[in-house]
Amino acid sequence: MKPIRNLKWIIASTLVAVAGIPAATASEIFDNAANNRPAFSVGAAYEYSTPVEQDFHTSGISLGSRSGMSAGIAIGAPLWKNMYLEPGLSIFESQYSVEGRKLYGKPLNFIWIMGARLNCMLGYHFDFSERWRLNITTGPQLAIGFSSGAHYPGKKSDNTLYDLGASYIRRVDLFWGAGVSVTYSRHYTVGFNFSRGLLNMSTDFENGYDAPFHFREQIIGVSAAYTF
């Protein structure tokens, strides 16, 4: 009988604990302005970059998806009801696999891009209780590349793709991003992010083609952040 009695005690304790979590009223879910305040957060994301809308004509070149990461800071500023503005700055590394392209006579494995992103996200949070909050954000993101390079068998390229004669890729990209996340106890946040590049990132002209190559960036990420 002891296991059954212990199980009853665990269930009863759980119900008491859950009942003790103050639930938000219907109005507080959408308008909890009394508890809104500026916030500073740090976070990191695991990202998966995919080239979309590729057009390399008949060159035989193709780019593929690879993983990357980013880390940065953000400031949340309350605007109206549960709406807030969240500017942020992050450092990132993105990678793309390469097929059909050579550098110094050797086939490329992948290219990498390192830089910074400036975000200005508009968000709204839904406060379902004092501990749990759902956040939805959207807004523009400006990415500026600091350095870039290529990996090929046996060596990592020392030359930046920005400075090669063909100027293979642009330094600057403009994204539109969106995200959904969950915050626990006002401090711990995990989320899912999606960003779509708006600019053609290739400036590479090949002899015999009348138009430059073309591809846009698309990034999907899983993030975690801590808010002070």
Side-chain angles (χ1 to χ4, degrees):
M1 295 296 292
K2 276 190 176 182
I4 296 178
R5 187 174 303 172
N6 291 338
L7 179 61
K8 289 182 178 179
W9 182 86
I10 292 173
I11 294 174
S13 300
T14 302
L15 292 175
V16 170
V18 171
I21 300 175
T25 64
S27 61
E28 288 176 337
I29 292 177
F30 301 96
D31 182 6
N32 195 19
N35 291 322
N36 293 336
R37 61 181 183 273
F40 174 79
S41 60
V42 296
Y46 172 83
E47 300 178 338
Y48 196 69
S49 300
T50 300
V52 296
E53 298 181 20
Q54 296 189 57
D55 184 3
F56 293 100
H57 310 305
T58 59
S59 66
I61 298 173
S62 66
L63 300 180
S65 304
R66 282 182 68 94
S67 59
M69 64 174 299
S70 66
I73 59 175
I75 298 175
L79 294 178
W80 172 76
K81 294 188 176 181
N82 286 0
M83 184 179 294
Y84 60 95
L85 189 67
E86 189 175 63
L89 172 65
S90 62
I91 303 298
F92 72 90
E93 181 186 25
S94 298
Q95 298 183 1
Y96 297 101
S97 62
V98 182
E99 293 184 4
R101 183 56 143 165
K102 291 184 177 181
L103 186 63
Y104 307 126
K106 297 181 179 181
L108 294 182
N109 289 337
F110 64 89
I111 59 174
W112 54 268
I113 305 169
M114 293 188 66
R117 294 193 192 113
L118 298 172
N119 308 323
C120 190
M121 310 298 284
L122 183 67
Y124 205 96
H125 58 81
F126 302 89
D127 298 357
F128 293 101
S129 73
E130 289 186 1
R131 295 185 181 180
W132 293 101
R133 170 182 289 181
L134 175 69
N135 316 287
I136 297 177
T137 58
T138 186
Q141 303 170 340
L142 178 66
I144 303 173
F146 296 153
S147 64
S148 62
H151 281 253
Y152 53 94
K155 186 178 179 181
K156 176 181 178 180
S157 170
D158 296 326
N159 293 311
T160 172
L161 296 181
Y162 299 130
D163 296 335
L164 291 177
S167 185
Y168 287 94
I169 55 177
R170 298 185 186 275
R171 283 186 179 273
V172 177
D173 198 2
L174 179 63
F175 291 85
W176 193 269
V180 58
S181 61
V182 175
T183 300
Y184 174 72
S185 191
R186 292 185 174 271
H187 295 292
Y188 308 99
T189 300
V190 294
F192 173 82
N193 311 298
F194 174 86
S195 299
R196 181 64 177 266
L198 305 178
L199 304 179
N200 173 23
M201 287 302 290
S202 176
T203 58
D204 190 3
F205 277 87
E206 286 288 300
N207 293 331
Y209 298 112
D210 296 328
F213 294 156
H214 185 282
F215 79 94
R216 299 179 191 270
E217 296 185 278
Q218 179 175 288
I219 301 173
I220 297 174
V222 178
S223 62
Y226 180 83
T227 301
F228 295 90

